[in-house]
């Protein structure tokens, strides 16, 4: 998403870019990275457009400024919307990717995307994620022809980053407003508040939308520590391999941590089919709905 239809003439002149994010802290919804870029010669005009750190602006003002910059032919912009499922998957993966790395990758992706459009980027300003100098060196090594300025509160200091902040914030707000809850459970509500862990409305929504087996709807970032306290009473899931051990050679809680070679992924096909046909080890959720494992398509 962004202003990527046609390359404007000014893009072949030295250009600056600002990058900022929205939604890093919430337990609900996507994290959005936004960028804004323009010709370096447009900097003075940019400072007159009332851009400011999006957190200091009211929603209506942010919306107005976003609509203004979208039709401004002297400005380009782009966003990267990172789904909560992607955030959780990366942070809970065996080879974990922390939030700082995800943020860095998103910023690098935006810079790459704009460069690939043919924009002559010479300067990029960013709000820091982690140590400012280490982040600057990392980016400089990746894009040696670009000057990087990485600082705290960059969205309050540099208008080009303030503009990026507005792009990211408005995009996230709209994404949440238009979010379609995929889950079909009854009594699914949209009154989830701001999505921040400390918001009473968000807390109430999490409490009322948890499932003892499946956790939370996909709007929720499962990797956030906030979620743990809501799932203390969750049902312990016994995998098919656990049931095999209880019925067969292995028993006891201490032996449930099995090697992959002993799990269903690599167990003999015949044994797996026998267990499936007998119903042993099948979760009651699937058993009650007469759902069976499919081995042939």
């Amino acid at each position: 998403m962004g202003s990527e239809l046609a390359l404007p003439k000014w893009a072949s002149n030295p250009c600056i870019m600002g990058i900022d994010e929205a939604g890093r802290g919430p337990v609900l919804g996507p994290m959005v990275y936004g960028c804004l870029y323009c010709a370096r010669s447009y900097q003075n005009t940019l400072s007159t457009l009332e851009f400011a750190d999006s957190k200091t602006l009211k929603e209506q003002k942010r919306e107005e400024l976003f609509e203004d910059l979208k039709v401004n032919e002297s400005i380009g912009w782009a966003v990267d919307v990172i789904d909560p499922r992607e955030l959780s998957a990366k942070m809970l993966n065996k080879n974990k990717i922390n939030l700082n790395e995800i943020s860095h990758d998103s910023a690098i992706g935006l810079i790459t995307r704009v460069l690939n459009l043919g924009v002559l980027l010479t300067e990029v300003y960013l709000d820091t994620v982690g140590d400012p100098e280490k982040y600057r060196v990392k980016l400089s090594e990746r894009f040696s022809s670009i000057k990087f300025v990485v600082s705290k509160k960059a969205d309050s200091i540099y208008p080009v980053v303030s503009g990026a902040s507005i792009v990211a914030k408005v995009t996230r707000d709209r994404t949440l407003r238009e979010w379609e809850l995929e889950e079909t459970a009854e009594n699914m509500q949209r009154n989830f508040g701001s999505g921040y862990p400390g918001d009473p409305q968000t807390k109430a929504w999490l409490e009322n939308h948890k499932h003892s087996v499946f956790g939370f709807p996909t709007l929720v970032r499962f990797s956030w520590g906030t979620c743990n306290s809501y799932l203390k009473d969750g049902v312990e899931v016994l995998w098919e391999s656990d049931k095999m051990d209880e019925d067969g050679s292995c028993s006891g809680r201490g032996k449930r941590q099995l090697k992959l070679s002993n799990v269903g992924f690599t167990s003999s096909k015949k044994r797996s089919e026998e267990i499936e046909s007998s119903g042993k080890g099948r979760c009651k959720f699937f058993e009650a709905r007469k759902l069976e494992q499919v081995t042939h398509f």
Side-chain angles (χ1 to χ4, degrees), residues 115-139:
L115 287 174
N116 288 343
L117 290 174
V119 178
L120 181 59
L121 286 180
T122 57
E123 298 174 24
V124 175
Y125 298 80
L126 307 94
D127 205 12
T128 191
V129 176
D131 181 84
E133 181 58 18
K134 289 181 179 178
Y135 191 16
R136 186 195 67 78
V137 170
K138 179 179 181 178
L139 293 168

Side-chain angles (χ1 to χ4, degrees), residues 79-289:
V79 293
D80 179 24
V81 180
I82 308 172
D83 190 275
R85 286 167 292 192
E86 181 181 348
L87 290 170
S88 296
K90 288 181 174 179
M91 295 178 72
L92 295 174
N93 196 10
K94 182 179 180 182
N95 298 315
K96 293 178 173 56
I97 303 175
N98 65 41
L99 195 59
N100 281 4
E101 291 179 272
I102 295 173
S103 298
H104 291 176
D105 289 344
S106 183
I108 288 170
L110 286 173
I111 295 168
T112 302
R113 191 194 309 179
V114 172
L115 287 174
N116 288 343
L117 290 174
V119 178
L120 181 59
L121 286 180
T122 57
E123 298 174 24
V124 175
Y125 298 80
L126 307 94
D127 205 12
T128 191
V129 176
D131 181 84
E133 181 58 18
K134 289 181 179 178
Y135 191 16
R136 186 195 67 78
V137 170
K138 179 179 181 178
L139 293 168
S140 297
E141 289 176 348
R142 182 69 177 264
F143 306 99
S144 58
S145 63
I146 298 175
K147 174 190 174 183
F148 287 95
V149 176
V150 182
S151 71
K152 297 178 180 179
K153 304 294 183 182
D155 49 1
S156 301
I157 301 171
Y158 305 104
V160 71
V161 182
S162 302
S165 173
I166 291 168
V167 169
K169 177 61 175 171
V170 173
T171 299
R172 175 178 152 82
D173 288 348
R174 291 182 178 183
T175 301
L176 278 176
R177 283 199 299 269
E178 298 166 6
W179 190 278
E180 293 185 11
L181 293 167
E182 299 175 358
E183 292 73 20
T184 57
E186 295 180 4
N187 301 319
M188 292 287 287
Q189 304 293 328
R190 294 186 54 85
N191 55 337
F192 40 70
S194 66
Y196 280 89
D199 184 339
Q201 197 170 358
T202 300
K203 289 181 178 180
W205 189 90
L206 288 169
E207 182 64 40
N208 294 329
H209 289 77
K210 64 182 181 181
H211 190 283
S212 59
V213 175
F214 299 106
F216 295 105
T218 53
L219 176 65
V220 179
R221 303 177 187 178
F222 283 71
S223 54
W224 257 233
T226 306
C227 296
N228 296 335
S229 61
Y230 293 92
L231 298 175
K232 288 179 180 178
D233 300 325
V235 173
E236 181 182 9
V237 177
L238 300 180
W239 301 100
E240 184 175 285
S241 57
D242 297 331
K243 186 65 177 177
M244 286 170 61
D245 291 335
E246 290 174 3
D247 293 342
S249 58
C250 295
S251 61
R253 253 182 113 78
K255 295 189 177 181
R256 285 182 185 159
Q257 299 298 326
L258 305 176
K259 294 182 179 179
L260 283 176
S261 59
N262 295 327
V263 183
F265 303 115
T266 54
S267 62
S268 75
K269 180 178 178 183
K270 183 177 180 181
R271 178 62 174 151
S272 295
E273 289 178 347
E274 286 175 356
I275 288 181
E276 177 59 31
S277 62
S278 69
K280 290 181 178 180
R282 193 185 304 166
C283 174
K284 288 183 179 180
F285 176 88
F286 302 109
E287 196 174 65
R289 290 160 178 76

